Amino acid sequence: DRLQNIHWKMSAKQDELMVKENSMPKSCPVVLFLNHLGDKKYSKNMTAFMEIAFSISFSMMDAGCNHYVVWYSKADGDIVRLRIDGEESFYYFSELFMKNKWEAFDQDICSRYEEKYRREPYVWKLILDERLELKKKDEVIMNYSLKELEKEISSTEILL
């Protein structure tokens, strides 16, 4: 091993040479955008919006698909991105998401994400809004209805 790869502080603590192992950062192939449009006629859909968001995120996590969830936070004044890679991060997301003060974002959430995280590419983009419309990339793949929500959630299969 090269001298530059030796972790000198750790080596001193362990009383033996410890070598740094550099690796690529873990990536997330999917980004789930939760886009609140702020249209008052869809305000009755917010509970269903959250239920669908949780269902999609939990299903991806359960299938071993690490992903980011992105939404606008009024408290932060910007988008929030959270990596979901296990139950702990999923439950943290659900807590933050339910506490969010919902307000429409004056920019396109996807464009803001691209601007903020421009050096972090992803493979798939899923967008859910409070109209209960789910898009993969820019193609609508599901329009959920309040009447059939439970059935539609349980039968929806998203192929990436």
Side-chain angles (χ1 to χ4, degrees), residues 57-142:
S57 182
F58 187 86
S59 295
M60 285 193 292
M61 178 217 52
D62 198 40
C65 178
N66 296 338
H67 60 283
Y68 287 120
V69 181
V70 178
W71 69 94
Y72 174 70
S73 168
K74 182 180 178 183
D76 296 333
D78 201 358
I79 60 172
V80 173
R81 178 179 81 164
L82 193 61
R83 179 186 170 89
I84 309 298
D85 55 11
E87 285 188 25
E88 188 175 326
S89 57
F90 173 78
Y91 290 117
Y92 180 62
F93 151 62
S94 61
E95 179 184 345
L96 287 178
F97 194 63
M98 287 190 294
K99 288 180 179 177
N100 193 46
K101 303 288 185 220
W102 292 103
E103 187 171 296
F105 190 44
D106 58 355
Q107 294 181 27
D108 175 52
I109 194 169
C110 299
S111 298
R112 177 63 185 132
Y113 182 88
E114 298 287 336
E115 179 184 311
K116 189 171 182 178
Y117 301 104
R118 69 177 67 107
R119 299 201 189 277
E120 298 181 35
Y122 54 87
V123 179
W124 294 103
K125 170 172 67 172
L126 296 174
I127 306 166
L128 176 68
D129 61 38
E130 76 265 24
R131 291 179 298 205
L132 309 182
E133 183 178 271
L134 179 64
K135 295 179 182 178
K136 182 170 74 172
K137 293 191 178 182
D138 293 318
E139 176 189 339
V140 176
I141 59 171
M142 187 68 185

Side-chain angles (χ1 to χ4, degrees), residues 2 6 15 32-33 37 52-53 68 70 86-87 116 124 127:
R2 297 174 57 200
I6 296 175
D15 201 25
L32 173 59
F33 293 94
L37 303 169
I52 296 165
Y68 287 120
V70 178
E87 285 188 25
K116 189 171 182 178
W124 294 103
I127 306 166

Side-chain angles (χ1 to χ4, degrees), residues 4-18:
Q4 293 135 333
N5 291 342
I6 296 175
H7 195 299
W8 292 107
K9 288 184 181 180
M10 188 66 80
S11 296
K13 288 181 184 178
Q14 299 293 326
D15 201 25
E16 65 179 286
L17 288 179
M18 304 295 286

